[in-house]
Amino acid sequence: MQKFKRKVFYLGGFDPRGVRFYHQLYRDQAGRYDRLTGEGVTVGGRRAGPAGSVVSTIWSVDNEQAGVETDYEFLRWEDLVGKVWIRNPLTLAFRSIATYVGHGRFMQFKRMKALRPGPVLTICYPPFLAVMIPLLFALLSALLLWSVLPFWAAALAGIGISAMASGKWLNKLVVPWLLRFTYYHHTLAAGGPGDALDARLDAFARRMAEELDEPWDEVLFLTHSAGTILGMSVMRRLFDLRGMALPDHFAMVGMGQVVPVVALRTDARWYHADLRALADKHFRYVDLSFPPDGAAYFNVNPLLLESDTHAARVDMLSPRFHLFYDPENYHGGWSNKYEAHFDYLRVGDRLSPVDFLSLTAGRRTLDDAIAAFRTIP
């Protein structure tokens, strides 16, 4: 069998964990894929990318039985995330005030709700819960203790109990992560990428441009979560380097797409320019966003947020995770919102033509995978 050679560029979300975590996640999911297919996928060790380890890390993915070789390049910006990752809860609370003042001034909430109401709730509930959960713990504890303690002592004890207990519940509901995410994208919308991220996005585009003329059967640019926002800026830079034409075997995939988080800010003029620049560009774009994922904008075409038409060939799909997980393993409910947002990078209890390993290690091209997915009732 003639080898099918695939190049994958992966741009992840707002996450300081970085390449070590995602490499291990890929290995774990390759094991699940192996158990379902028996194909024996081998995931190689990490090595620095051609532009240096600060820009990217590469590992090989060998599917010998299916005759597939994948060169997987993880585009790195976790070091930049780490520099703005707020650890002090008081600092996070203070900066969240500025975030929601900014959203109140510049976010097009009516338009956001018309596009998809779920993400509006996802943006708005963290500050509410960040206030109400500690307050409820403190009040309930203080009222109970007031029967045996003086009021001042019961109040102090209630505050102490709230400080110890509320953090667990806030973390379970992903409140601190969402506040960090929202603050960062507030600053991104208002101030632009900044010098460091701007240079990194330029480097990502150069790496992709360098590989497009290599003898790959398929080149995929996979973006996830906040990576879908930055991915549009990378695409604008890629066209600046390559002109109007990209090869037919190239495609961009957005997973758990959140582009409106920045695109619907009226002050994000730099980003609006990136989206408008893509309106007349011919390329393949596939959006995989799951309706129950409260952070994702299912069936919202990011290329139409700033333009009435687009030249790209676009498919908008739900990955339909509920069909591929057993009920006991399905990430449903409020407490699993964070995990559901990472199911795009996993393999379920049954194989999907568009799960992450099928797209990156399987024999089907992206278009063949989508055609197979559409046949599933």
Side-chain angles (χ1 to χ4, degrees):
M1 181 186 298
Q2 184 178 352
K3 286 280 188 179
F4 182 89
K5 294 186 177 182
R6 175 185 291 116
K7 177 69 182 182
V8 169
F9 290 97
Y10 171 79
L11 180 57
F14 184 72
D15 191 343
R17 291 176 294 187
V19 67
R20 184 188 297 270
F21 170 82
Y22 284 93
H23 180 243
Q24 187 58 51
L25 176 63
Y26 194 96
R27 277 187 161 164
D28 293 343
Q29 299 312 303
R32 291 177 64 86
Y33 181 87
D34 285 348
R35 288 190 289 275
L36 292 171
T37 64
E39 290 180 358
V41 173
T42 302
V43 181
R46 304 188 303 271
R47 65 187 189 277
S53 60
V54 171
V55 173
S56 67
T57 296
I58 293 176
W59 59 82
S60 62
V61 182
D62 234 350
N63 187 341
E64 191 69 33
Q65 186 170 324
V68 178
E69 291 178 0
T70 298
D71 195 61
Y72 189 104
E73 187 159 351
F74 183 96
L75 301 174
R76 303 186 68 172
W77 68 298
E78 74 273 12
D79 59 317
L80 305 180
V81 174
K83 290 177 181 176
V84 297
W85 190 263
I86 303 169
R87 290 169 175 81
N88 186 304
L90 293 178
T91 302
L92 181 60
F94 179 76
R95 292 186 179 174
S96 294
I97 294 171
T99 297
Y100 284 91
V101 169
H103 276 348
R105 291 180 62 195
F106 300 113
M107 184 63 81
Q108 301 174 68
F109 278 112
K110 283 188 177 179
R111 189 179 173 199
M112 180 183 285
K113 185 179 178 182
L115 290 173
R116 190 79 188 161
V120 179
L121 180 60
T122 300
I123 285 179
C124 293
Y125 85 75
F128 174 78
L129 291 183
V131 172
M132 291 306 299
I133 287 178
L135 186 61
L136 286 173
F137 270 112
L139 284 175
L140 290 173
S141 302
L143 289 172
L144 289 172
L145 291 170
W146 194 15
S147 60
V148 295
L149 293 173
F151 176 77
W152 64 269
L156 287 175
I159 292 171
I161 290 170
S162 176
M164 290 186 293
S166 58
K168 176 183 176 182
W169 284 93
L170 290 172
N171 283 322
K172 190 175 179 65
L173 294 169
V174 207
V175 169
W177 183 84
L178 283 170
L179 289 175
R180 294 182 186 106
F181 175 94
T182 307
Y183 169 71
Y184 176 75
H185 288 92
H186 155 66
T187 62
L188 181 68
D195 292 343
L197 182 56
D198 224 13
R200 198 68 58 88
L201 298 179
D202 285 343
F204 295 164
R206 285 195 299 271
R207 276 295 306 127
M208 292 170 60
E210 289 164 2
E211 294 292 339
L212 289 181
D213 293 322
E214 295 300 314
W216 304 110
D217 296 297
E218 182 173 62
V219 179
L220 297 180
F221 178 32
L222 305 181
T223 61
H224 175 232
S225 188
T228 63
I229 298 172
L230 300 182
M232 294 295 166
S233 293
V234 173
M235 287 299 298
R236 191 243 173 107
R237 288 163 165 82
L238 181 59
F239 276 107
D240 286 345
L241 292 170
R242 296 276 306 191
M244 292 294 288
L246 296 181
D248 291 339
H249 64 284
F250 170 84
M252 179 185 182
V253 179
M255 300 174 290
Q257 181 255 119
V258 294
V259 170
V261 168
V262 172
L264 294 187
R265 286 271 299 228
T266 58
D267 56 340
R269 288 178 287 274
W270 67 273
Y271 195 66
H272 301 158
D274 283 353
L275 291 178
R276 285 194 298 271
L278 295 176
D280 63 345
K281 304 300 189 295
H282 293 269
F283 66 101
R284 179 76 166 112
Y285 176 72
V286 175
D287 194 287
L288 293 171
S289 297
F290 190 44
D293 176 4
Y297 286 82
F298 166 71
N299 206 32
V300 174
N301 187 336
L303 300 172
L304 293 177
L305 293 174
E306 279 295 313
S307 303
D308 294 329
T309 61
H310 61 79
R313 182 164 65 94
V314 175
D315 271 310
M316 309 293 297
L317 298 169
S318 164
R320 303 167 74 191
F321 293 133
H322 58 287
L323 297 182
F324 303 99
Y325 280 93
D326 294 332
E328 62 271 20
N329 297 324
Y330 175 61
H331 292 124
W334 280 99
S335 63
N336 276 318
K337 288 298 182 186
Y338 184 77
E339 292 302 324
H341 197 58
F342 277 83
D343 280 338
Y344 303 97
L345 309 182
R346 296 185 175 120
V347 176
D349 297 305
R350 288 167 292 281
L351 205 63
S352 164
V354 296
D355 67 37
F356 199 66
L357 266 291
S358 295
L359 291 179
T360 57
R363 181 76 185 187
R364 290 189 183 104
T365 64
L366 177 65
D367 282 348
D368 288 343
I370 290 170
F373 183 73
R374 289 190 185 280
T375 66
I376 299 172

